[in-house]
Amino acid sequence: MSSAEHTGPLTETGPPGARRPPSPLRQLAAASVGNAVEWYDWYAYSFLAVYFAEQVFPEGTGNSLVPLLSSFAVFAVGFFMRPIGGLLMGAVADRRGRRAALTVTILLMGGGSLLVAVTPTYATTGVLAPVVLVAARLIQGLSVGGEFAASTTFLVESAGPGRRGLFSSFQYVSTTIGQLLASGTAALLATLLTEEQMGLWGWRVAFLGGALLSLLGLWIRHGAQETRSVEQQAAARPGLFEGLRRYPRQSLLICGITAGGTLAYYTWTTYLPTYAQVNIGFDKGEALTVGTISLVFFALLQPLGGMLSDRIGRKPLLLGFALGFAVLAVPLLHLISDAFVSLLLVQCAGMVLLTGYTAVAAAVNAEIFPARVRAAGIGFPYSLTVALFGGTAPYVGTWFKSAGHADLFPWYVAALCLVSFCVYLALPETARTTMDN
């Protein structure tokens, strides 16, 4: 390894090349707390759309679902912006430093959340109301796409020798915490306020809280240490599409690695309660309770999966995940009945398999690209694949049901995981390689 390379974060003060070991907890908190705040803001929209839809969108003639459908269309627009965010914010991370990009992403998310909180109603401003909401969601989509690119590189580059898998696992720990905070906040507000109060102003409180939480995340990130030296940042001025142009194979690998993982993730962590309600007639309240319990279980599994990958490698976990879903996705989804314990066991079993992907995804992605284009190289293909396969999972599942072919959705999950299994077979083991920063 040349003298310009290093294996840990560098300070931005002191003589050139001077090193001061950062606090691992501070580095983890900088990435994880900010990431949790980002995902709180992102998921709060989906949990609260039912309350603000009629405030922001006009009701279609004879169809009371038009406002809600419009609000979910705006949610999809946010997914469209994620690949652009991954590319742009990844470029910022590669050119200006990881910490600079993390600062920008959390400011964007906080600003987007504040904009949602102050969105006027359609009754007072007409078409301006949905325009403001769309603008806010575009900003949030840009932010969350860039957040993965920046926080992934920051987390993995902050890890000491033999700990990249452990640090990587906190990407999904914090994402899950953000999701739980969003659902918990929505549930608490709905309990404390009447339906009318929630529709008039209660939903705004949650988004205002997200904007304030972003300031906390910004403060924590301000104290983090950059993982690349000033000299390295000055030397690296990659073009916007350099990662795609110079490393097309690695970009395609990111797509293949992510495709099955993101579909399984969104199916098991987000869509499964709805799947059980639509296809089995499962009680809505119990389905949400199962979802919450399984998410807590999922978050606890992540560090264990990350540490295991540091000991035995990334490939065994990835192969176990993909093969497990390819073989078991169909029987698991067919095991769901209207009994509480059946959905809980199926969802938790899927979470165990899913951990083989989520606990190591950030590490694997970061280990594929050189530091010069690492953030942008990860950000664009990853976010594009998530938008194509992860973000569409609920829609595809519902479409199969509406077309009278609900049984095909489990086969769709299994088939895409089998594709990723083939990619994992060809993937080199990177757990014990030296990663340049």
Side-chain angles (χ1 to χ4, degrees):
M1 184 170 66
S2 69
S3 59
E5 295 175 342
H6 57 90
T7 57
L10 301 180
T11 63
E12 295 181 301
T13 60
R19 304 185 188 188
R20 175 167 57 86
S23 163
L25 289 178
R26 185 78 186 206
Q27 296 293 98
L28 279 176
S32 300
V33 173
N35 194 48
V37 171
E38 291 260 357
W39 285 98
Y40 167 89
D41 289 340
W42 179 260
Y43 279 116
Y45 184 100
S46 60
F47 288 123
L48 295 165
V50 66
Y51 295 108
F52 64 75
E54 292 183 1
Q55 297 287 316
V56 178
F57 296 98
E59 186 173 318
T61 304
N63 191 347
S64 61
L65 288 178
V66 167
L68 186 59
L69 290 171
S70 299
S71 67
F72 281 127
V74 176
F75 183 78
V77 167
F79 271 97
F80 170 76
M81 286 299 293
R82 287 175 65 169
I84 300 173
L87 183 63
L88 295 179
M89 292 298 103
V92 171
D94 289 332
R95 295 180 183 186
R96 302 294 181 183
R98 318 308 190 202
R99 197 177 71 168
L102 290 172
T103 298
V104 174
T105 57
I106 202 164
L107 283 174
L108 285 173
M109 184 58 81
S113 189
L114 181 61
L115 197 56
V116 175
V118 300
T119 297
T121 65
Y122 189 86
T124 57
T125 62
V127 73
L128 179 62
V131 168
V132 171
L133 187 64
V134 169
R137 202 57 185 172
L138 289 175
I139 292 171
Q140 289 188 319
L142 194 73
S143 170
V144 82
E147 173 69 16
F148 184 88
S151 64
T152 290
T153 53
F154 181 84
L155 270 172
V156 179
E157 290 174 356
S158 294
R163 301 177 70 186
R164 294 200 300 260
L166 174 61
F167 273 52
S168 164
S169 68
F170 279 86
Q171 182 74 31
Y172 278 92
V173 171
S174 54
T175 297
T176 304
I177 289 173
Q179 187 174 355
L180 288 168
L181 282 174
S183 63
T185 300
L188 179 63
L189 287 171
T191 301
L192 296 177
L193 303 176
T194 65
E195 188 83 10
E196 182 181 7
Q197 289 172 326
M198 281 295 295
L200 290 175
W201 56 268
W203 59 272
R204 299 182 188 273
V205 174
F207 290 105
L208 181 60
L212 294 175
L213 283 174
S214 295
L215 295 178
L216 171 64
L218 180 65
W219 174 76
I220 293 174
R221 286 185 168 179
H222 181 72
Q225 294 183 31
E226 179 55 61
T227 59
R228 307 192 71 205
S229 68
V230 175
E231 291 81 3
Q232 288 171 320
Q233 292 177 46
R237 287 292 183 269
L240 188 62
F241 295 98
E242 185 171 328
L244 292 170
R245 181 172 53 84
R246 293 187 59 185
Y247 303 96
R249 178 180 174 275
Q250 286 85 340
S251 298
L252 288 174
L253 274 178
I254 295 290
C255 294
I257 290 167
T258 307
T262 189
L263 175 59
Y265 173 77
Y266 276 94
T267 298
W268 245 258
T269 66
T270 304
Y271 178 57
L272 199 60
T274 302
Y275 177 88
Q277 294 169 44
V278 171
N279 292 280
I280 311 298
F282 203 90
D283 179 76
K284 181 179 180 181
E286 289 192 348
L288 292 175
T289 301
V290 169
T292 300
I293 294 171
S294 61
L295 281 174
V296 173
F297 176 66
F298 178 67
L300 294 174
L301 286 175
Q302 299 313 296
L304 300 177
M307 288 188 290
L308 182 61
S309 79
D310 285 330
R311 296 180 69 89
I312 68 172
R314 321 290 186 222
K315 282 188 68 171
L317 272 73
L318 289 171
L319 290 170
F321 147 72
L323 186 60
F325 268 101
V327 173
L328 297 175
V330 174
L332 279 175
L333 290 177
H334 280 128
L335 280 174
I336 299 175
S337 69
D338 58 359
F340 182 93
V341 69
S342 75
L343 180 58
L344 180 62
L345 289 176
V346 167
Q347 193 152 14
C348 286
M351 297 299 195
V352 173
L353 293 174
L354 186 58
T355 297
Y357 165 76
T358 54
V360 303
V364 172
N365 291 344
E367 290 162 349
I368 286 176
F369 279 94
R372 174 181 169 84
V373 294
R374 181 171 292 140
I378 293 170
F380 182 74
Y382 172 84
S383 295
L384 179 63
T385 309
V386 170
L388 290 174
F389 297 107
T392 60
Y395 175 84
V396 172
T398 304
W399 181 83
F400 275 129
K401 172 65 176 178
S402 66
H405 302 293
D407 286 346
L408 291 182
F409 181 70
W411 288 104
Y412 170 62
V413 176
L416 205 58
C417 287
L418 186 60
V419 171
S420 285
F421 177 80
C422 296
V423 174
Y424 301 152
L425 281 175
L427 198 66
E429 180 57 71
T430 56
R432 292 172 182 83
T433 57
T434 299
M435 191 179 75
D436 70 309
N437 280 11

